[in-house]
Structure formats: structure tokens, C-alpha cells
Amino acid sequence: MITIRQFQCGEEAVLRKLMFDTIRSVTIKHYSDNQVKAWAHTDIADESWQDRLRSNQPLVAVLNGKIVGFADIQANGLIDHFFCHAEHQGQGIGKALMLALLEHSRTTNITRLFSHVKNG
């Protein structure tokens, strides 16, 4: 069963690796080499990544005790991060995260959700 919960301090490195691995193995099929290199570069400063996560307060998907995805929504409705673990694609993790984001938007009166993604 997939559990969705709030991000906890100390999970920054796990989420960074999940994002990096997903971009480099799954989304690489949909984006240019330059985009992939920009989003999944290895020289991100730990402090800036930690600050970003702590500010965005993502929701984290857990399956059998393992973090398998995360997503966040900002106050203006921007879905900035939305990643499902490369080894757990097609298992309902994205759906569970999206349903949790939609519920969060309802409870916080965010009326418009959007993201900056490439279509197909």
C-alpha cells in the first residue's frame, strides 16, 4: 500500500537521488540532453537543495517502507517537483501523489494548479 506523508528533514539526499535517477533513466526519453543535464546535474549544492525542499515541503510517497516518489505544490498552484522512482513506474504512485496534491489544494483554497512540463 502506498502511503503519502509530509517530507521530513533528513530525507533531502534520498529525494535528490530519486529525482536524479528518474530524470536520467525515465524522463530522458522525453527531453533534450541539455534539459536533462540542467535538471539532473551532479554539482547541486547540498545546502541549496535542502533549503528548497524545506521551503517547498513536498509530499512523499512510501511503499513498503521505501520512499518511491515525491511532489510539491507551491502557494500559487505551481507543481514544481513531481517524481516517481525509476524502479516503481506504473504502480499508482503518481496517481496517489496527484490525488494528495489535489486534496491539499482544496484544503488550502488553491484554485489553479499548473506546471512547466513538455507535452509528449
Side-chain angles (χ1 to χ4, degrees):
M1 182 171 149
I2 301 165
T3 303
I4 306 295
R5 62 163 173 76
Q6 286 296 137
F7 159 79
Q8 298 170 2
C9 287
E11 295 176 334
E12 295 88 353
V14 173
L15 298 185
R16 174 71 181 135
K17 182 170 178 7
L18 188 155
M19 184 180 86
F20 182 90
D21 291 348
T22 302
I23 291 170
R24 291 292 175 133
S25 64
V26 177
T27 59
I28 196 167
K29 301 167 197 159
H30 305 286
Y31 295 98
S32 72
D33 287 341
N34 287 340
Q35 289 171 310
V36 169
K37 288 175 185 172
W39 297 328
H41 53 86
T42 57
D43 62 348
I44 190 165
D46 285 345
E47 189 173 316
S48 68
W49 175 248
Q50 291 174 358
D51 290 345
R52 188 170 185 179
L53 285 181
R54 290 174 185 158
S55 174
N56 287 351
Q57 285 296 300
L59 297 175
V60 175
V62 179
L63 178 65
N64 298 324
K66 178 181 178 183
I67 293 176
V68 293
F70 72 100
D72 61 62
I73 184 170
Q74 297 178 9
N76 66 354
L78 173 66
I79 298 171
D80 189 21
H81 296 98
F82 196 103
F83 292 96
C84 300
H85 195 286
E87 296 174 2
H88 294 276
Q89 299 286 306
Q91 296 179 6
I93 295 158
K95 180 179 179 179
L97 283 167
M98 184 55 73
L99 290 172
L101 291 178
L102 291 170
E103 179 59 27
H104 174 78
S105 70
R106 280 190 286 276
T107 61
T108 57
N109 295 317
I110 298 172
T111 58
R112 177 179 173 259
L113 303 178
F114 65 100
S115 189
H116 303 290
V117 297
K118 177 182 174 185
N119 186 8

